[in-house]
Amino acid sequence: MTWIISPSGPLSGEVQVPGDKSITHRAYILGAVSVGETVVSRPLRAEDTDNTLEAIRSLGVDVESKGDVVLIRGRGPDGLSEPGDVLDLGNSGTGVRLLAGLLAGCSFLSILTGDSSLRGRPMGRVTDPLKRMGAAIDGRDGGRLLPLVIRGGGLKAVDFVSPVSSAQVKSCVLLAGLQARGTTTFREPVLSRDHTGRMLKSMGVHLATRGGSTIMMGGQSLSACEIAVPGDISSAAFFLVAGAVLNGSDVVIRNVGVNPTRTGIIRLLSAMGADIEIDDRPWDVEPVADIRVRGTGRLRGFKVPLEWVPSIIDELPLAAVAAAAADGITEIRGAGELRVKESDRITGTVRMLQRAGVLVRELDDGFIVEGGGSIKGADFKSGGDHRIAMASAILSLLAGSTSRVSDIKCVATSFGTFPDVLNTLSPGALAPEPSAESDSLPALSRVD
Ligand code: S3P
């Protein structure tokens, strides 16, 4: 499938974006082992999170969907049962790595796998600490690649120093740590997104965070609670960037999660000179706000501080789009993690910009963009990566002519309604290209 993007001027209007992917995964997984019924409202319904929901169902958890609410009837700390088949998490690194932590505490056998992209992503970062905690884990390449075979149980706590700031690794270790004897400490260079810690606390778990360290005693039980999932800032970011770079835009995105460990894109756009207003809404566990962005058409390049990288990690392809539109140089370093996301997002981002004629230099751990030049319409390819597909669509809005973005099926992993939201703000900007298959169908004739 392919999108055709016709640049149609400034964006305007009010929208909401689907629920936060990270928070939805966690609500399902923590809900599965809590005591009582966890009520998850406005969760993300997309392939990644639906795969996690299916996995916890396979572990014996009773799940019910009612409108925009999902009820998870928790099985308590020891209530999960051996799945009858391999658990396939599709494209989702978060789903598979968090479940590895959960299953490391379960004495039955479980096997985790995913699609070809996920089977190529590093798993040693989670299997190393889990093995140190006492879980029996094997997998391809000595347990560094999926499929992983886990027979867990009998865990002891760990003091783990992670070389990368990673919320997936942290959450995995904490999920195992909950089921371990003793106090688990997870240390990372810069605090990564802290949704797991916040949710655990709201479920009654005592846990401390100091700088990049998270400390928690094992054996604590979780009490089910209500979790209102805010809109995903990683989805809102597409329209924040489009609104900021297209002169005359005026966009309001309601009910967006603004956890400070996720708002690097707002900080960056503000530092580049964008006009952004944050209107806080009442919140309990996760901060929520309405965000308004007005396009001034006057962004300037910026050197992103290394310590900002974890809070903007998923938005860096989009940051490159903003950089292309800004005057001067934007530099992003310390983002080597991008090479092991759903695709190699450093190469993917650099190719995307090059196709549009933007000057860009690839670094091992980032890229340097020289913005302010002309941007031309192009044939973009997602490489099977949802964020590259959507970032390419936003870049296309800045171009002087029509563009195509191909291989966009992957967008269903996180944000299937992206075309509708974009067309609400910029009517007619995005149209699916009629597929060759439907073109070749004979015309329907009426039979009376
Ligand atoms: C996520 C953490 C990040 C992020 C991913 C979602 C999470 O990955 O890139 O999209 O929900 O924990 P890392 O933990 O590998 O940085």
Side-chain angles (χ1 to χ4, degrees), residues 21-23 25-26 94 97-98 121 125 165-171 192-193 195-196 262 310 313-314 337 341-342 345 387:
K21 183 147 76 80
S22 294
I23 297 174
H25 281 296
R26 287 157 172 82
T94 306
R97 292 188 177 121
L98 268 60
R121 294 177 65 187
R125 54 182 58 196
S165 295
S166 164
Q168 293 178 356
V169 180
K170 172 169 61 184
S171 305
S192 62
R193 61 190 73 186
H195 305 304
T196 302
R262 295 283 301 281
I313 190 76
D314 289 342
E337 275 295 294
K341 295 293 178 191
E342 286 85 326
R345 285 190 181 150
R387 299 205 194 279

Side-chain angles (χ1 to χ4, degrees), residues 266-286:
I266 296 178
R267 271 203 281 179
L268 174 63
L269 289 172
S270 304
M272 293 173 93
D275 178 359
I276 298 187
E277 251 173 62
I278 310 283
D279 190 2
D280 291 326
R281 292 171 71 124
W283 58 275
D284 188 6
V285 178
E286 290 281 350

